[in-house]
Amino acid sequence: LGGVYALASCGLVVTYLSSGILNFAFAALAFFIARLYYFLHVQHGWGIAPAALVSIVAAGPALGALLWFLLFRTLRLTSQTVKIVVTIGLSVCVAPIAVLLFGNQPIVNAPGLAPLPERVFQVAGTAVTLDQLIVYVCVAVFVVGGAAVLRWSGAGLLVRAVVDSEAMASLSGI
């Protein structure tokens, strides 16, 4: 559970640093992608890898790009109150959209990204499942990778410049 909270926190921080918008719909969007994974893997019998690739690698970024194009790019110059209300409104409408697209079948046992039977490792006397290990590795990769990109890459510098002062960045041709 702590690893999932760490992933959510990392996503919120990276989203805020790169866009200047505190996205209160972040959890709803994560639910949408998780529900898509369940829909593909359990309801349609896709394997773990194809369902994960389609939902996490393809649909996740596509959903983010779509929302940026339709919604978030127009919020850049609005007040913080408008940004908060819009993201809260988005969080309210994403779950019903997922129900319309994927059905309302009750999920009794949510599958993870590890194959069954799930392997259990002993780390410092604590049992850690392969699913938990995958979450911890993802947290480490996203935190270190996101921080490195935002801190030391040219693209990260441009993103931080636009978030800090869009007017000054535009004067510099960014």
Side-chain angles (χ1 to χ4, degrees):
L1 189 57
V4 172
Y5 285 147
L7 275 174
S9 300
C10 178
L12 282 171
V13 168
V14 169
T15 301
Y16 181 74
L17 288 176
S18 61
S19 68
I21 297 173
L22 186 58
N23 186 1
F24 287 102
F26 190 81
L29 299 175
F31 164 77
F32 185 88
I33 297 303
R35 187 62 181 87
L36 174 61
Y37 172 75
Y38 182 85
F39 178 75
L40 295 175
H41 179 57
V42 174
Q43 291 178 252
H44 285 286
W46 287 29
I48 291 172
L53 286 173
V54 167
S55 58
I56 297 168
V57 177
L63 179 62
L66 178 71
L67 287 174
W68 175 83
F69 182 74
L70 295 176
L71 188 64
F72 290 129
R73 71 184 173 113
T74 61
L75 292 178
R76 284 190 342 235
L77 302 176
T78 61
S79 70
Q80 282 297 107
T81 305
V82 171
K83 292 174 186 176
I84 290 170
V85 169
V86 167
T87 60
I88 289 173
L90 182 62
S91 72
V92 169
C93 73
V94 167
I97 291 171
V99 169
L100 287 173
L101 292 175
F102 309 124
N104 61 352
Q105 173 185 352
I107 299 173
V108 178
N109 188 12
L113 294 176
L116 296 175
E118 194 169 357
R119 295 181 55 193
V120 178
F121 304 96
Q122 291 294 325
V123 178
T126 303
V128 178
T129 66
L130 185 55
D131 267 334
Q132 292 170 331
L133 192 60
I134 290 170
V135 169
Y136 297 141
V137 168
C138 288
V139 168
V141 167
F142 290 134
V143 167
V144 171
V149 166
L150 285 174
R151 175 83 174 150
W152 292 299
S153 74
L157 177 65
L158 297 176
V159 166
R160 289 193 330 260
V162 170
V163 170
D164 285 344
S165 174
E166 186 175 351
M168 292 300 289
S170 67
L171 289 174
S172 301
I174 299 172

Short mmCIF file of all heavy atoms in Angstrom, two decimals, residues 3 5 30 37 52 68 72 76 86 92 94 109 113 154 163 166:
data_model
loop_
_atom_site.label_atom_id
_atom_site.label_comp_id
_atom_site.label_asym_id
_atom_site.label_seq_id
_atom_site.Cartn_x
_atom_site.Cartn_y
_atom_site.Cartn_z
N GLY A 3 3.81 1.53 -1.35
CA GLY A 3 4.37 1.69 -2.70
C GLY A 3 3.37 2.34 -3.64
O GLY A 3 3.73 3.17 -4.48
N TYR A 5 0.98 4.40 -2.70
CA TYR A 5 0.94 5.81 -2.30
C TYR A 5 2.16 6.55 -2.83
O TYR A 5 2.05 7.71 -3.25
CB TYR A 5 0.88 5.95 -0.78
CG TYR A 5 -0.46 5.63 -0.18
CD1 TYR A 5 -0.55 5.05 1.08
CD2 TYR A 5 -1.65 5.91 -0.84
CE1 TYR A 5 -1.78 4.76 1.65
CE2 TYR A 5 -2.87 5.61 -0.28
CZ TYR A 5 -2.93 5.05 0.96
OH TYR A 5 -4.15 4.77 1.52
N ALA A 30 -5.75 7.06 -12.70
CA ALA A 30 -5.09 5.79 -12.39
C ALA A 30 -6.13 4.66 -12.32
O ALA A 30 -5.87 3.55 -12.80
CB ALA A 30 -4.32 5.91 -11.08
N TYR A 37 -6.85 -2.22 -17.69
CA TYR A 37 -6.01 -3.42 -17.55
C TYR A 37 -6.88 -4.62 -17.15
O TYR A 37 -6.76 -5.70 -17.73
CB TYR A 37 -4.90 -3.18 -16.53
CG TYR A 37 -4.12 -4.43 -16.20
CD1 TYR A 37 -3.18 -4.93 -17.08
CD2 TYR A 37 -4.33 -5.10 -15.00
CE1 TYR A 37 -2.47 -6.08 -16.79
CE2 TYR A 37 -3.63 -6.25 -14.70
CZ TYR A 37 -2.70 -6.74 -15.60
OH TYR A 37 -2.00 -7.88 -15.31
N ALA A 52 -0.87 -5.10 -19.96
CA ALA A 52 -0.11 -4.04 -19.28
C ALA A 52 0.47 -3.05 -20.28
O ALA A 52 0.43 -1.84 -20.05
CB ALA A 52 1.00 -4.65 -18.43
N TRP A 68 -4.63 16.79 -21.97
CA TRP A 68 -3.86 18.03 -22.13
C TRP A 68 -4.41 18.82 -23.32
O TRP A 68 -4.63 20.02 -23.22
CB TRP A 68 -2.37 17.74 -22.35
CG TRP A 68 -1.63 18.99 -22.63
CD1 TRP A 68 -1.14 19.89 -21.74
CD2 TRP A 68 -1.30 19.52 -23.92
NE1 TRP A 68 -0.54 20.94 -22.37
CE2 TRP A 68 -0.62 20.74 -23.73
CE3 TRP A 68 -1.52 19.09 -25.23
CZ2 TRP A 68 -0.16 21.52 -24.78
CZ3 TRP A 68 -1.05 19.86 -26.27
CH2 TRP A 68 -0.38 21.06 -26.04
N PHE A 72 -6.29 20.66 -20.26
CA PHE A 72 -5.26 21.26 -19.42
C PHE A 72 -4.49 22.39 -20.09
O PHE A 72 -4.07 23.32 -19.42
CB PHE A 72 -4.29 20.19 -18.90
CG PHE A 72 -4.92 19.26 -17.91
CD1 PHE A 72 -4.82 17.89 -18.04
CD2 PHE A 72 -5.62 19.76 -16.82
CE1 PHE A 72 -5.40 17.05 -17.13
CE2 PHE A 72 -6.21 18.92 -15.90
CZ PHE A 72 -6.10 17.55 -16.06
N ARG A 76 -3.82 26.82 -18.34
CA ARG A 76 -2.54 27.40 -17.94
C ARG A 76 -2.69 28.81 -17.40
O ARG A 76 -2.05 29.17 -16.42
CB ARG A 76 -1.57 27.40 -19.11
CG ARG A 76 -0.99 26.08 -19.42
CD ARG A 76 0.13 26.18 -20.43
NE ARG A 76 0.13 27.42 -21.18
CZ ARG A 76 0.11 27.50 -22.50
NH1 ARG A 76 0.08 26.41 -23.21
NH2 ARG A 76 0.13 28.65 -23.12
N VAL A 86 -11.82 22.34 -11.96
CA VAL A 86 -11.82 21.52 -13.17
C VAL A 86 -11.27 20.12 -12.89
O VAL A 86 -11.84 19.12 -13.33
CB VAL A 86 -11.03 22.21 -14.31
CG1 VAL A 86 -10.75 21.26 -15.45
CG2 VAL A 86 -11.78 23.43 -14.80
N VAL A 92 -14.59 13.41 -10.78
CA VAL A 92 -15.95 12.93 -10.56
C VAL A 92 -16.48 12.21 -11.80
O VAL A 92 -17.22 11.22 -11.69
CB VAL A 92 -16.89 14.09 -10.17
CG1 VAL A 92 -18.34 13.69 -10.19
CG2 VAL A 92 -16.49 14.63 -8.81
N VAL A 94 -14.67 10.67 -14.38
CA VAL A 94 -13.87 9.60 -14.98
C VAL A 94 -14.41 8.22 -14.61
O VAL A 94 -14.49 7.34 -15.46
CB VAL A 94 -12.38 9.75 -14.59
CG1 VAL A 94 -11.59 8.51 -14.93
CG2 VAL A 94 -11.78 10.95 -15.31
N ASN A 109 -11.38 -9.97 -7.02
CA ASN A 109 -9.96 -10.18 -6.82
C ASN A 109 -9.20 -9.51 -7.96
O ASN A 109 -9.19 -10.02 -9.07
CB ASN A 109 -9.64 -11.68 -6.76
CG ASN A 109 -8.22 -11.95 -6.35
OD1 ASN A 109 -7.52 -11.06 -5.90
ND2 ASN A 109 -7.80 -13.19 -6.52
N LEU A 113 0.44 -7.37 -11.65
CA LEU A 113 1.29 -7.53 -12.83
C LEU A 113 2.16 -8.78 -12.76
O LEU A 113 2.87 -9.09 -13.71
CB LEU A 113 2.17 -6.29 -13.01
CG LEU A 113 1.43 -5.01 -13.35
CD1 LEU A 113 2.38 -3.83 -13.39
CD2 LEU A 113 0.69 -5.14 -14.67
N GLY A 154 17.79 19.05 -21.02
CA GLY A 154 17.35 20.30 -21.64
C GLY A 154 15.83 20.42 -21.63
O GLY A 154 15.28 21.50 -21.40
N VAL A 163 6.88 26.50 -16.35
CA VAL A 163 6.07 26.44 -15.13
C VAL A 163 6.39 27.62 -14.22
O VAL A 163 5.50 28.23 -13.64
CB VAL A 163 6.28 25.09 -14.40
CG1 VAL A 163 5.63 25.12 -13.03
CG2 VAL A 163 5.70 23.96 -15.23
N GLU A 166 5.80 31.59 -17.38
CA GLU A 166 5.47 31.39 -18.79
C GLU A 166 5.82 32.62 -19.62
O GLU A 166 6.30 32.51 -20.74
CB GLU A 166 4.01 31.04 -18.96
CG GLU A 166 3.66 30.69 -20.37
CD GLU A 166 2.24 30.22 -20.53
OE1 GLU A 166 1.56 30.00 -19.51
OE2 GLU A 166 1.81 30.07 -21.68
#
